[in-house]
Amino acid sequence: IHFALLAVLMMVVAGLVVLALKRLQRHDAEQIFEKSNLWRVGIAVVSLFLALVVGVAWTAFERMDTQLRQELGDTLVAINKSVNHSLEMWLESRTREIHHLAGDRTLLPHIKAQLALPRKAAPLRSSSALVQLRHLYQQHMEEMGAKGFFIIAPDRISVGSMRDANIGTVNLIARQQPELMDRAFGGEIVFIPPIHSDVPLRNAEGLLVDKAATMFLAAPLRDAENRVIAVMTLRFDPHTDFSRISRHGLIGETGETYAFDRHAKILSASRFRDGLQAIVSHYKGETELLKLQIRDPGGNLMQGFRPTQDATEWPLTKMAAEALAGRGGVDTQGYRDYRGVPVVGAWFWSSRLGVGLATEIDLDEALASYHGMRRLVLGSLLGIALLALFLTAVSVWIGGRTRTQLRLLVDARTKELEKLTRAVIHSPATVVITDIHGNIEYVNPKFCEVTGYSSEEVVGQNPRVLKSPDTPPEIYKELWQTITQGEVWRGELKNKKKNGDNYWEMASISSVKDDSGRITHFVAVKEDITNRKHAAQALEAEQRRNQLILNSAGEGIFGLDTEGQVSFCNRAAARMLGYETQELLGVFMHPMVHHSYESGEAYPVELCPMRASFTEGKVNQISNEVLWRKDGSHFPVEYTATPIREDDGLIGAVVVFRDISEQKRASLALLESQERLELALSGGDLGFWDVDLNTGFTVVNQRVKQAVVPPDEVLSDGDITNH
């Protein structure tokens, strides 16, 4: 708009000059254009022209500055909201997981047993229930990325933890955030923003730090009557969660997004941590999470400013003061951040997370492109103004050069068009160009090679000559509606060659528009995927056959990947275990069906023969273990775990098992029958014996011996033969 206004003003000025010249007397005109006065006229005209150019340009840049700051503010707000959304998604995911974990009924007996113990460190630390809880929680914590857990009694004493040091003491959350702990005991799942740990923790560099930052998610634990009997918390590392998500808000070289608490302490790693430690004594040792406060030092520390006041006496930055007052906002005019560097930023206080989020970038970097563009454009306008008169004087020469350059440009464009034409001609993909009615105007050689038609046979025809009767009309209707609306249609088409053979194509069809946006042509780029389609169909058939074979087997069969998760499972295995097949896919098999011995004692996963197959490559045949059904019952099995290898590397294991309950019952019945027979043979009034035709009596009961042998003689069964 401003440059259009400039053009209009220049035209008005030029018209006034022409009108003034026409009104001049011939003598006056000759006097003005005398050689001695011509330079004065030229200076006046150029000065006027420059004044107009600079005035309009300066006004335009003022408007551009306002618009740029508005767009910058919108960008900062969008990034800030995006990071907040990511944090809330992280919280929502962890909330679902801890809700599921808190409702795990297998944990309840151990939790009750731990709560029943005296609130003394020694009995709490040495209880078997704590051992079971640590074992059961370990896997869940690894899956959720948690670093530890607490079981907190109603009196706020930690009765369970991964560390012995915390047990038997008042929980650190109850000390630092009692209101959040009260909400958890009130039945809510509560997020506890970073607080100070009561034990040393390792920072991002792996060094132990006292009062390091840690954060928790707390969930109520309920008994069978749905009463809250304790609170379970999972500990998370802000370095790997808050800081990781906040890094998504990094902008350019100096932009960052960081979280802070109600005390204006930063909860995520500062992008400028190393620089602050190196140049300012105020921040030495204070750049860890929960230690660096968002205060304005009063000057730019990065440029050598040294405040005289202690850091605790500095005022909050504008952003921090506004956010802690509950006012979200954006400032694109500039304010000092905690380094004293002028920045622009957007901020937001998340009531759900209980933290604030700030997105900031140095003012110099944010406006660098604008300032550079302003200098460039003003310089260009000045150059254009100075050259305008000169170009007028040499217009004929410039005209000649322009024609030459135009010819060179036409030659260059012609070469580019030739390159594009050769690329289309030699393209490995089929290219078809039609008019807006769908009539073919061009096909490349690949089209002729694939379809068997020559270009002369199809030019002027509609692409429906390739249509296969197997393709539903709805597909062509959708295709035509899509491309006539100026959008791109992508999909697979089954077409017919000239000789009648069917073939498959992956097609991408788009419209070609002129400068006014009107559709003038359609271009289809298609790839022959017949061989790929046939291969996929063959593979699918092979997979169906393999699945039928698996499901027809009487033994239970399931595959494990290198993490111990089920990769496939046949129906017999799912039926024997009491699950649907889909319920087992993707789950960890050991904690699902192999978690305990027959006695009920926990079966450590590191001793599992199935695990040894996919970790050590061992073939294990086991006949004295049990598997656990979905309903909690178990049955005896014998199984073989065999490693699966590919290119000399382990990729998993396959386990084949069968239920040997009937076999064990038959063996037990046979043993009982043998015992009854031996009892009958050894006593009673009847005589029993067993005779071998070669060796004589082999088994003789006591009654026979008494009838045959005198009482004072002792003979073996074999000696009875002689009597």
Side-chain angles (χ1 to χ4, degrees):
I1 295 175
H2 293 85
F3 290 107
L5 179 60
L6 174 63
V8 171
L9 289 175
M10 291 175 61
M11 292 176 63
V12 170
V13 171
L16 292 175
V17 170
V18 171
L19 182 61
L21 291 175
K22 286 183 177 181
R23 291 180 176 273
L24 288 175
Q25 298 294 326
R26 181 177 180 181
H27 174 73
D28 296 331
E30 291 178 353
Q31 185 176 5
I32 291 174
F33 288 101
E34 285 182 0
K35 187 175 181 179
S36 58
N37 296 326
L38 188 58
W39 66 272
R40 296 187 180 91
V41 175
I43 290 177
V45 172
V46 170
S47 298
L48 178 60
F49 178 72
L50 283 177
L52 289 172
V53 169
V54 172
V56 174
W58 189 262
T59 304
F61 278 121
E62 289 296 322
R63 292 285 186 90
M64 290 174 63
D65 177 74
T66 302
Q67 183 178 355
L68 176 63
R69 290 178 188 269
Q70 178 64 41
E71 293 175 353
L72 178 60
D74 293 342
T75 301
L76 293 172
V77 170
I79 293 172
N80 190 263
K81 289 183 177 179
S82 174
V83 173
N84 177 67
H85 181 64
S86 297
L87 288 172
E88 290 187 348
M89 288 179 62
W90 173 88
L91 177 59
E92 183 177 345
S93 173
R94 296 298 177 270
T95 300
R96 288 196 302 269
E97 292 170 345
I98 197 171
H99 175 73
H100 176 73
L101 180 58
D104 189 348
R105 296 287 96 182
T106 61
L107 301 172
L108 187 58
H110 306 299
I111 293 171
K112 285 185 174 180
Q114 198 69 6
L115 289 170
L117 295 173
R119 300 294 192 265
K120 303 293 184 182
L124 289 171
R125 293 172 183 171
S126 59
S127 74
S128 60
L130 179 60
V131 174
Q132 292 296 326
L133 285 172
R134 286 175 173 174
H135 174 73
L136 293 173
Y137 274 110
Q138 182 65 43
Q139 180 179 347
H140 292 292
M141 291 193 313
E142 291 176 358
E143 293 173 357
M144 297 172 65
K147 305 301 181 182
F149 76 93
F150 280 120
I151 302 297
I152 306 164
D155 57 4
R156 302 330 190 236
I157 300 297
S158 299
V159 297
S161 173
M162 290 300 291
R163 300 172 183 265
D164 285 346
N166 312 98
I167 297 177
T169 63
V170 177
N171 187 264
L172 74 160
I173 303 173
R175 294 196 305 268
Q176 299 183 46
Q177 295 282 6
E179 70 283 356
L180 298 182
M181 182 59 70
D182 292 341
R183 286 172 56 190
F185 272 101
E188 295 183 50
I189 296 178
V190 183
F191 172 68
I192 292 88
I195 59 177
H196 291 294
S197 172
D198 56 351
V199 295
L201 298 177
R202 297 191 183 277
N203 62 10
E205 288 76 29
L207 302 176
L208 283 174
V209 177
D210 290 328
K211 294 185 177 181
T214 186
M215 62 186 185
F216 298 87
L217 200 60
L221 296 172
R222 302 177 184 270
D223 60 10
E225 288 73 30
N226 203 34
R227 294 174 301 191
V228 177
I229 59 173
V231 165
M232 172 190 67
T233 68
L234 294 182
R235 182 175 71 82
F236 296 92
D237 185 357
H239 286 286
T240 58
D241 291 303
F242 257 44
S243 296
R244 174 179 55 82
I245 296 174
S246 297
R247 280 196 294 272
H248 295 167
L250 294 180
I251 320 166
E253 298 295 328
T254 61
E256 65 170 344
T257 298
Y258 56 88
F260 53 92
D261 65 9
R262 295 187 180 278
H263 303 291
K265 292 187 176 181
I266 291 184
L267 304 179
S268 52
S270 170
R271 185 175 192 172
F272 311 106
R273 175 175 178 269
D274 295 338
L276 291 172
Q277 283 185 323
I279 66 171
V280 184
S281 60
H282 297 82
Y283 283 113
K284 284 187 176 178
E286 296 296 322
T287 56
E288 293 290 342
L289 303 187
L290 283 177
K291 294 184 178 180
L292 177 60
Q293 277 196 302
I294 312 171
R295 294 184 175 276
D296 181 0
N300 192 335
L301 300 175
M302 312 305 289
Q303 294 181 354
F305 176 77
R306 296 297 179 266
T308 57
Q309 294 177 309
D310 186 74
T312 58
E313 299 177 3
W314 301 347
L316 295 176
T317 67
K318 176 183 178 181
M319 179 281 299
E322 290 286 313
L324 294 181
R327 295 188 293 271
V330 60
D331 187 321
T332 58
Q333 298 305 311
Y335 59 91
R336 284 192 295 270
D337 67 355
Y338 56 88
R339 302 167 296 150
V341 176
V343 296
V344 294
W347 55 88
F348 169 77
W349 183 265
S350 173
S351 57
R352 183 178 180 187
L353 293 167
V355 300
L357 283 175
T359 302
E360 297 174 336
I361 186 172
D362 287 7
L363 182 63
D364 287 343
E365 181 182 3
L367 300 179
S369 59
Y370 164 73
H371 290 153
M373 180 180 64
R374 185 172 65 179
R375 288 192 296 269
L376 177 63
V377 173
L378 286 176
S380 299
L381 289 174
L382 178 61
I384 292 172
L386 294 174
L387 289 173
L389 295 176
F390 175 76
L391 292 177
T392 302
V394 294
S395 58
V396 176
W397 179 79
I398 291 296
R401 290 296 303 271
T402 300
R403 285 191 295 273
T404 302
Q405 290 178 353
L406 181 60
R407 185 173 60 255
L408 294 174
L409 180 60
V410 170
D411 292 343
R413 293 299 300 273
T414 301
K415 290 180 180 179
E416 288 181 7
L417 290 174
E418 289 176 352
K419 267 195 298 189
L420 291 174
T421 303
R422 286 195 297 271
V424 172
I425 291 174
H426 299 291
S427 171
T430 298
V431 179
V432 180
I433 301 176
T434 73
D435 61 19
I436 59 174
H437 304 293
N439 300 317
I440 298 175
E441 294 185 350
Y442 172 82
V443 294
N444 70 339
K446 186 64 177 181
F447 172 90
C448 301
E449 177 187 337
V450 171
T451 65
Y453 288 99
S454 65
S455 61
E456 291 79 9
E457 291 176 298
V458 294
V459 169
Q461 300 291 327
N462 192 281
R464 69 172 61 96
V465 298
L466 304 174
K467 179 181 178 181
S468 169
D470 296 336
T471 303
E474 293 78 11
I475 292 181
Y476 293 104
K477 182 179 179 181
E478 177 197 352
L479 184 157
W480 186 251
Q481 289 177 344
T482 301
I483 62 176
T484 52
Q485 292 174 359
E487 300 176 359
V488 179
W489 184 89
R490 295 182 179 87
E492 295 182 358
L493 292 174
K494 186 176 183 180
N495 285 332
K496 185 175 62 176
K497 299 182 180 181
K498 181 179 180 180
N499 61 8
D501 292 343
N502 289 323
Y503 69 102
W504 286 91
E505 289 183 313
M506 176 61 70
S508 176
I509 306 175
S510 58
S511 58
V512 179
K513 301 178 182 179
D514 59 16
D515 294 339
S516 64
R518 183 174 59 89
I519 297 175
T520 61
H521 294 82
F522 298 111
V523 177
V525 180
K526 301 181 286 184
E527 178 187 2
D528 187 350
I529 59 170
T530 306
N531 293 336
R532 189 193 311 168
K533 197 79 173 178
H534 290 164
Q537 292 170 348
L539 177 59
E540 183 179 352
E542 182 66 22
Q543 290 174 339
R544 285 198 300 270
R545 285 195 296 272
N546 291 340
Q547 191 62 42
L548 288 173
I549 293 171
L550 279 176
N551 288 331
S552 300
E555 289 84 1
I557 304 173
F558 58 82
L560 301 175
D561 61 17
T562 55
E563 299 296 326
Q565 292 178 291
V566 178
S567 55
F568 62 86
C569 173
N570 72 343
R571 292 175 184 168
R575 175 177 49 78
M576 284 190 276
L577 294 171
Y579 290 92
E580 296 293 333
T581 304
Q582 293 302 320
E583 290 183 273
L584 293 173
L585 295 179
V587 304
F588 289 92
M589 180 55 76
H590 185 82
M592 180 70 79
V593 303
H594 199 220
H595 49 76
S596 303
Y597 293 105
E598 185 175 5
S599 63
E601 180 184 356
Y603 196 148
V605 67
E606 60 269 13
L607 301 181
C608 176
M610 300 180 193
R611 181 177 181 273
S613 294
F614 62 76
T615 57
E616 303 174 14
K618 294 181 178 179
V619 177
N620 290 300
Q621 295 180 336
I622 306 298
S623 61
N624 60 347
E625 293 185 353
V626 298
L627 293 180
W628 294 81
R629 299 187 182 96
K630 183 178 181 180
D631 62 7
S633 62
H634 64 271
F635 60 97
V637 295
E638 62 180 18
Y639 65 84
T640 302
T642 307
I644 303 175
R645 300 179 183 274
E646 183 178 54
D647 298 331
D648 297 329
L650 285 173
I651 63 171
V654 62
V655 179
V656 181
F657 70 92
R658 65 188 185 93
D659 186 344
I660 60 172
S661 300
E662 291 298 328
Q663 178 181 332
K664 293 194 72 174
R665 282 194 289 269
S667 297
L668 182 60
L670 178 60
L671 180 60
E672 291 175 352
S673 298
Q674 290 175 343
E675 290 176 350
R676 287 196 299 270
L677 177 60
E678 291 177 359
L679 179 61
L681 288 173
S682 63
D685 295 331
L686 298 178
F688 294 93
W689 64 84
D690 182 29
V691 179
D692 186 285
L693 295 178
N694 296 318
T695 62
F697 289 92
T698 58
V699 177
V700 180
N701 77 337
Q702 189 65 29
R703 184 61 176 163
V704 174
K705 291 180 181 180
Q706 291 173 352
V708 177
V709 183
D712 57 344
E713 295 186 35
V714 179
L715 298 177
S716 67
D717 293 346
D719 293 333
I720 298 298
T721 305
N722 300 324
H723 290 265

